[in-house]
């Protein structure tokens, strides 16, 4: 698949410009209910087909599986996006060192920052932490950074964007973005598009087929069931082959999106993603996309803006 004309501003040589449209999400490799050998085979299967992986040392035993796979197939080691959480730069550095050691790689190609505490406050103000992140990049430990966004952290990203500082080092925004979820709140999402900042879409298929999610018994806390039931008629009227095809084409056709990160635990599921990449360009009917985006704006005001930390 050729890259969508993305309407984004990237600095020359940005690591984000090297991203493939699809990035393999590795979280399922940490599921210890699946035998280690099967997870290792899945990692190798993905390495032979995908140039970029997304991972975290907090995904159970995922990094143990990846480390073994990387040793087994050293010529196929992918570029890595790693989650980096912390309330200080020292904590971020410790997580960088830990993940480099666990994976046995010389560089994290993109660090996905989830910041809190003093680090979040400094970032919001465009403070000294930006120079600290530049130093990490200059040392070659991380090739570039994005800021992870949730509804309850959108204000951090919004203030950072409004400050106009550090766009050279915080190069994009990573958040759940699929037909059922858009974790950047409305004001933040509008400003990201206005300033033409890159988006890394996470959770491509929103947890699984829409038919299965819509069929769950309604429950006040199950917002995905409610949204699935609302969107299902539009999905069924579309001409997309399946839910994966629908989701990938929707998100990759959106302005600003440079990639989508989707997890899978079986070769067949990965093949569904890869089949979509055989299409020439992302294709999604404009009227349908606008209806989904309008739903997301409504959902953001109804639910997301009120969400407490880690409740959705």
């Amino acid at each position: 698949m050729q890259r969508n004309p993305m309407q984004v501003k990237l600095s020359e040589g940005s690591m984000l410009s090297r991203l493939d449209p699809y990035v393999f999400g590795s979280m399922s490799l940490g599921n210890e209910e699946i035998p280690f050998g099967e997870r290792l085979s899945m990692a190798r299967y993905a390495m032979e087909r995908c140039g970029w992986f997304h991972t975290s040392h907090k995904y159970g035993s995922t990094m143990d599986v990846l480390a073994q796979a990387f040793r087994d197939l050293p010529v196929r080691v992918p570029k890595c996006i790693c989650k980096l959480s912390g309330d200080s730069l020292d904590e971020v550095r410790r997580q960088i060192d830990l993940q480099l050691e666990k994976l046995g790689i010389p560089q994290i190609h993109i660090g996905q920052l989830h910041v809190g505490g003093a680090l979040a406050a400094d970032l919001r103000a465009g403070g000294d932490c930006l120079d600290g992140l530049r130093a990490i990049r200059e040392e070659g430990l991380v090739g570039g950074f994005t800021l992870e966004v949730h509804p309850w952290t959108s204000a951090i990203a919004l203030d950072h964007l409004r400050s106009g500082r550090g766009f050279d080092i915080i190069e994009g925004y990573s958040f759940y973005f699929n037909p059922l979820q858009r974790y950047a709140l409305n004001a933040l999402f509008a400003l990201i598009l206005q300033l033409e900042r890159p988006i890394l879409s996470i959770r491509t298929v929103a947890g699984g087929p829409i038919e299965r999610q819509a069929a769950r018994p309604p429950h006040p806390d199950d917002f995905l069931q409610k949204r699935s039931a609302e969107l299902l008629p539009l999905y069924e009227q579309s001409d997309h082959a399946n839910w994966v095809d629908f989701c990938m084409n929707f998100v990759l056709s959106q302005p600003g999106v440079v990639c989508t990160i989707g997890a899978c635990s079986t070769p067949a599921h990965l093949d569904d993603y890869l089949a979509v990449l055989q299409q020439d360009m992302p294709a999604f009917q404009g009227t349908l996309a606008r209806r989904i985006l309008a739903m997301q704006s409504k959902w953001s005001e109804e639910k997301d803006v009120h969400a407490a930390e880690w409740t959705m």
Side-chain angles (χ1 to χ4, degrees), residues 179-180 205-216 224-225 227-236 242-244 246-247 299:
L180 298 175
V205 297
I210 188 172
E211 303 95 332
R212 187 180 70 202
Q213 300 201 65
R216 291 196 297 263
L224 283 177
Q225 184 280 328
R227 294 179 184 182
S228 296
E230 186 175 351
L231 181 59
L232 183 59
L234 297 181
Y235 167 66
E236 291 178 334
N242 53 46
W243 180 237
V244 173
F246 185 90
C247 291
W299 294 335

Side-chain angles (χ1 to χ4, degrees), residues 34-42 44:
I34 302 171
F36 185 90
E38 290 183 25
R39 288 181 281 145
L40 181 60
S41 295
M42 181 65 216
R44 292 170 177 161

Side-chain angles (χ1 to χ4, degrees), residues 87-143:
D87 295 342
S88 68
L89 278 180
D90 286 342
E91 191 173 351
V92 169
R93 279 188 172 273
R94 287 194 293 272
Q95 291 201 7
I96 291 168
D97 291 342
L98 172 66
Q99 295 189 72
L100 290 175
E101 181 178 1
K102 278 182 169 288
L103 293 174
I105 57 176
Q107 183 186 57
I108 292 170
H109 294 85
I110 297 174
Q112 178 181 310
L113 290 168
H114 178 74
V115 297
L119 181 56
D122 193 47
L123 181 64
R124 295 176 81 157
D128 293 341
C129 68
L130 297 172
D131 285 335
L133 293 171
R134 291 185 184 102
I136 291 171
R137 185 178 62 188
E138 288 167 6
E139 292 170 36
L141 298 174
V142 179

Side-chain angles (χ1 to χ4, degrees), residues 73-89:
L73 292 173
V75 298
R76 298 295 304 177
V77 172
K79 296 180 176 65
C80 291
I81 303 171
C82 293
K83 295 181 67 170
L84 303 171
S85 303
D87 295 342
S88 68
L89 278 180

Side-chain angles (χ1 to χ4, degrees), residues 149-203:
V149 173
H150 299 269
W152 50 90
T153 65
S154 281
I156 298 170
L158 185 60
D159 286 349
H160 162 69
L161 270 177
R162 286 172 172 167
S163 78
R165 299 172 184 165
F167 288 3
D168 64 306
I169 190 65
I170 304 294
E171 297 186 74
Y173 299 86
S174 301
F175 52 88
Y176 283 17
F177 188 25
N178 55 61
L180 298 175
Q181 296 168 290
R182 194 206 67 209
Y183 269 19
L185 296 182
N186 288 338
L188 173 60
F189 187 65
L191 190 57
I192 288 173
L193 297 182
Q194 178 186 331
L195 297 179
E196 299 181 332
R197 305 305 298 160
I199 297 168
L200 284 71
S201 150
I202 304 175
R203 208 169 192 240

